[in-house]
Amino acid sequence: MKVLLAVDGSDASMSAVAATAALALPPDSSIVVVTVIPDSFAPEGSHWPNVIRMDPPTDRERVRADVRDRLLAIADRLRSGTTTVDIGVLEGRPATEIVTEAARSAADLIVVGARGLSAVRRLLIGSVSSEVVDHAPCPVLIARHGAVERIILATDGSPGAAEATRFVAESGLFDEAEIHVLSVADPGMPWWSGISPLDGATSMELYEDAVEHAQGRARQAADEAAAELRELRVVQTSAVPEGDVVSAILEAAASDRTDLIVVGARNMGTLHRWLVGSVSRSIVHLADASVLVVRSRTEPAPRKEATTVGTA
């Protein structure tokens, strides 16, 4: 298991460090702890001291040395057993460099912290973590807490949800966690409203059939996911009969005092994601728990070498 842990010196990124330490990494795993020193000030820039190109080279080297020392301290905290820990100092735009480094190193998982923004501000301006989720070549864990003991795996039977289930089952990261498999019946909008009474009666019956079918799909999706996770500690399998999918997941997470919500990533175009959103994007923005968004790993793309990585 190759883990890319991105930190920026903030309290939020320290939650990412704690979450990484809590993962049940398989033997001979590797962690690379990276940070990005921005070329210039940007709203999504890191908490490390900002250095612009006009500063003397000695100032940049001083900042790099300071950042390296902090990364070495984090590496010492994460080192255990057969897990190797390296560090890397990147320069440029944080989200872009994190995604590019993950592709270059063929990472199996990216771990980042979630900035403590209000829900409204997160929805309006996004963040480094949400941009990494949109473009990452592998699963992304957005850490809001250090614990990963209680997990909700949200499934709808889609290919994306199946990918998330497979990752939980095969990664070995959650072998010690308690898992609640949750599915929500989503029949869609009641399209029968607003038409004539005669047609409305027939349409109501059709909608009721759609609800029943959606409930059956939800139960089947939950049961199939639980069966795939049979080697792990599945403590609950449930299918919510009907309701808003995001609200149902968030309510279940609050009730369970969930540490981590696992969802699949839908393959939507960028424009559609921004206009309509998706379950995974909404959960990322609104959840109080940490969120793991699972997508298939893509092949690494060639890049101009701009990384300093060394053994901690």
Side-chain angles (χ1 to χ4, degrees):
M1 172 67 65
K2 297 180 180 179
V3 179
L4 181 69
L5 167 61
V7 300
D8 65 359
S10 65
D11 291 341
S13 70
M14 292 304 102
S15 294
V17 174
T20 302
L23 294 173
L25 292 174
D28 301 319
S29 293
S30 62
I31 303 172
V32 178
V33 188
V34 301
T35 195
V36 182
I37 301 176
D39 287 334
S40 60
F41 176 79
E44 75 275 18
S46 74
H47 276 226
W48 304 129
N50 281 306
V51 181
I52 60 176
R53 290 297 186 190
M54 291 184 296
D55 287 344
T58 53
D59 286 350
R60 295 194 68 82
E61 290 306 315
R62 174 182 53 77
V63 170
R64 289 176 63 86
D66 179 59
V67 168
R68 182 179 175 83
D69 288 344
R70 299 193 202 187
L71 295 184
L72 288 171
I74 292 172
D76 288 340
R77 176 177 173 182
L78 294 173
R79 189 176 291 106
S80 65
T82 60
T83 299
T84 62
V85 185
D86 296 330
I87 63 171
V89 180
L90 313 174
E91 295 187 19
R93 186 173 180 273
T96 301
E97 290 302 317
I98 292 167
V99 169
T100 304
E101 178 60 22
R104 188 198 67 80
S105 63
D108 298 303
L109 175 69
I110 300 172
V111 184
V112 294
R115 289 290 181 84
L117 302 177
S118 69
V120 172
R121 190 177 174 201
R122 286 198 299 255
L123 287 169
L124 289 177
I125 68 172
S127 66
V128 170
S129 56
S130 61
E131 186 174 344
V132 169
V133 166
D134 282 345
H135 300 287
C138 62
V140 181
L141 195 165
I142 300 172
R144 291 189 170 94
H145 309 284
V148 289
E149 298 174 359
R150 294 181 298 275
I151 297 175
I152 281 182
L153 170 65
T155 180
D156 59 2
S158 67
E163 190 77 29
T165 302
R166 192 174 306 114
F167 183 82
V168 172
E170 298 177 356
S171 67
L173 298 176
F174 310 108
D175 290 355
E176 301 174 9
E178 296 181 350
I179 302 173
H180 174 186
V181 178
L182 173 68
S183 186
V184 183
D186 181 18
M189 295 293 292
W191 46 267
W192 46 264
S193 59
I195 60 180
S196 70
L198 180 60
D199 291 336
T202 302
S203 299
M204 174 70 95
E205 292 178 2
L206 292 174
Y207 182 70
E208 289 174 349
D209 289 342
V211 170
E212 184 176 354
H213 182 62
Q215 291 171 349
R217 288 202 315 269
R219 287 191 296 269
Q220 181 180 359
D223 290 342
E224 289 177 350
E228 187 166 352
L229 300 174
R230 59 187 175 277
E231 301 298 327
L232 304 182
R233 297 174 60 192
V234 177
V235 297
Q236 184 178 355
T237 302
S238 57
V240 178
E242 187 177 1
D244 176 73
V245 176
V246 173
S247 297
I249 294 171
L250 296 178
E251 288 170 7
S255 177
D256 289 354
R257 299 174 62 189
T258 297
D259 299 316
L260 175 68
I261 301 171
V262 182
V263 293
R266 291 291 182 89
N267 294 320
M268 295 181 176
T270 302
L271 179 61
H272 184 72
R273 285 200 304 263
W274 278 113
L275 293 179
V276 180
S278 65
V279 170
S280 56
R281 172 179 285 276
S282 298
I283 296 296
V284 165
H285 286 309
L286 300 175
D288 291 325
S290 300
V291 180
L292 172 62
V293 180
V294 178
R295 65 172 71 248
S296 300
R297 191 169 73 180
T298 58
E299 292 299 318
R303 61 162 284 175
K304 179 181 178 181
E305 197 65 35
T307 308
T308 300
V309 178
T311 302

